[in-house]
Amino acid sequence: MKIYNTLSHQKEEFTPIEPGKVLMYACGITASGDAHVGHAYQSVVFDMISKYLKFRGYDVKYVRNYTDVDDKIIAKAAQLNKDPMEYAEYIMEKTDKELAELGSAKPTVQSRATESIPDMLQFIQTLIDKGFAYATPEGNVYFKVSKFPGYGKLSRINWSENRDGVRKEVEPGKLDDKDFALWKAAKPGEISWDTPWGKGRPGWHIECSTMAMKFLGKTIDIHGGGRDLVFPHHENEIAQSEALTGQDFSHYWMHNGLLKVNGQKMSKSLNNSIYLADLLKEYKSDVIRFALLRTLYRSDINITDELFPESEKHMYRFYQIFKKIQEKPVSGQEDVTDKYVTQIEQDFIQAMDDDFNTSELFAKLFGWMDFLAQELANKNSPYILSKIVAKLKELFAILGLLQREPEEFLSFVRHKYLAKTGLSEEEILKKIQERAEYKKNKQFDLADGIRNQLAEQHIALQDTPAGTVWDIEL
């Protein structure tokens, strides 16, 4: 199995610290507002990675955090006239429900920053004692970047270049602009904890290093997050963690790509954020996950107006095929080889072992769906087809796909389409009855007219021995 390591900028053979076990940490969500599609993407990617590693036989301990104390949380709570901790609690509970509906399993450990304050204080004090950090008279504590020679090895940042968008902290008492906050002095009325340096709260970066070490140890196998976290967040995590322990913090650094909306960076300032709750009202989780995973996880995704509708169209076809196979009577169990299911598993493992290449995997999936459709048309054995469907469902459960009852998914999409077009199922059935009468009276032109009229509204009719049935054509 090969994984692209941001640290080395190349694919590397995956070799865990302890054979058969994987220690993985992924940076989670700051509870300052509703979860958006970017949060969904990160969750889906590392959920998939965790599940695939388990499929490959590893005992995975996966830790993800919530940042529940932060400048943004305090500002948003003040704006809403709410207590910051109560507001963060509300956001975390809401996000948990949405991620569960999205199909992302809870990690082995889901930790909140405020649950590890004593550990952070000990971490910071040790850095001070070692000369890697210093406290200011104002009550802030900063990491001394000049004391850590390896600073910049993850991001390969060029300090002479303009660093737009970097969280710069220009505070009294800082010795160097590159130094970053480990602990922040509290402003009047803010949530705070007592420390040797005065009342304050943790800086952004110290949280993840502390929680990763607390639950996983000094050195972990995989540390992940969005590519926007490479600098400064993950760079600072490396500096403070390795300064503390003198050991590598993580052997593999994995970063999912960034999201754009119709070519623009998704941001609140552009008012183009896509919230997860809204997506889940419009689409089943299969559709959202399929759309997000069609692109290799470390590539950027451009969310166009057609991305999710196009994904829904493909998923609709897949479930149509499954339903037709499900409805075919299976007579006995024919003596067939397992060459099809064996090939599917080989294709799956080959793609996923190559840095979780879902782009290649989905190309294979389309091929297998075409094969099923062709075999259905050729009236080949439903036993063979059922075995293929079972294997696809087993494997793609790792990606959170193809797990629904076909009719449930198809019915949801049909009714959504009818609601948007103003059609009703009763109207369609009435048209089908009228067409049947025309055919009975040999008025075939009028019968064809009804078929054509419905076809213009993307309603397809199919005459079967049991009668005429209808479906939508997306």
Side-chain angles (χ1 to χ4, degrees), residues 28-290:
I29 295 171
T30 298
S32 59
D34 291 338
H36 53 64
V37 67
H39 299 134
Y41 186 36
Q42 192 261 14
S43 168
V44 166
V45 166
F46 288 95
D47 178 69
M48 167 195 72
I49 290 170
S50 172
K51 287 172 179 173
Y52 183 68
L53 290 169
K54 289 176 184 176
F55 168 77
R56 292 294 270 144
Y58 291 104
D59 178 11
V60 180
K61 188 173 184 182
Y62 169 31
V63 179
R64 189 176 70 227
N65 75 295
Y66 269 120
T67 295
D68 58 345
V69 57
D70 176 86
D71 290 339
K72 293 179 180 178
I73 296 170
I74 292 169
K76 185 66 175 179
Q79 180 186 335
L80 298 172
N81 197 27
K82 293 182 179 292
D83 175 79
M85 298 304 292
E86 290 179 2
Y87 175 70
E89 182 70 32
Y90 161 74
I91 291 296
M92 288 186 290
E93 288 182 3
K94 184 174 183 291
T95 301
D96 275 349
K97 290 177 183 175
E98 290 167 3
L99 292 180
E101 189 178 344
L102 183 62
S104 293
K106 277 201 171 186
T108 318
V109 178
Q110 184 162 279
S111 181
R112 304 176 180 192
T114 56
E115 295 172 341
S116 298
I117 297 295
D119 306 275
M120 294 180 206
L121 297 178
Q122 184 179 349
F123 194 125
I124 293 168
Q125 186 60 59
T126 304
L127 288 176
I128 292 174
D129 294 342
K130 287 186 153 193
F132 284 102
Y134 58 94
T136 70
E138 294 78 16
N140 299 306
V141 182
Y142 294 101
F143 184 86
K144 193 183 294 184
V145 169
S146 61
K147 283 277 291 181
F148 186 74
Y151 193 78
K153 63 182 178 180
L154 181 70
S155 59
R156 305 187 183 187
I157 189 164
N158 184 344
W159 289 103
S160 64
E161 293 179 355
N162 181 25
R163 290 179 289 131
D164 291 334
V166 174
R167 295 188 182 188
K168 293 180 69 174
E169 300 167 270
V170 182
E171 297 288 344
K174 278 182 73 169
L175 301 179
D176 189 318
D177 180 56
K178 293 191 289 291
D179 295 348
F180 57 88
L182 299 170
W183 193 261
K184 293 184 175 184
K187 296 173 185 175
E190 284 187 350
I191 180 174
S192 64
W193 287 262
D194 291 322
T195 75
W197 323 293
K199 287 184 177 294
R201 54 190 173 81
W204 178 32
H205 316 296
I206 195 69
E207 300 173 2
C208 289
S209 287
T210 301
M211 288 183 280
M213 289 192 191
K214 178 179 179 178
F215 296 109
L216 299 173
K218 293 178 180 179
T219 302
I220 65 177
D221 294 299
I222 297 171
H223 196 310
R227 197 169 68 243
D228 56 320
L229 299 182
V230 172
F231 187 88
H233 187 48
H234 287 166
E235 194 70 73
N236 291 351
E237 277 195 66
I238 289 174
Q240 64 200 10
S241 302
E242 297 185 1
L244 182 82
T245 66
Q247 302 176 18
D248 290 340
F249 180 36
S250 179
H251 286 173
Y252 301 86
W253 287 85
M254 299 183 69
H255 295 93
N256 59 269
L258 306 180
L259 300 184
K260 295 181 178 180
V261 179
N262 291 320
Q264 290 185 306
K265 179 182 177 181
M266 188 175 69
S267 68
K268 289 182 180 178
S269 61
L270 293 174
N271 195 31
N272 64 352
S273 295
I274 300 172
Y275 293 103
L276 179 54
D278 295 332
L279 273 179
L280 288 167
K281 288 176 186 173
E282 182 72 11
Y283 300 103
K284 292 293 186 183
S285 62
D286 307 57
V287 172
I288 301 170
R289 294 178 77 101
F290 188 82

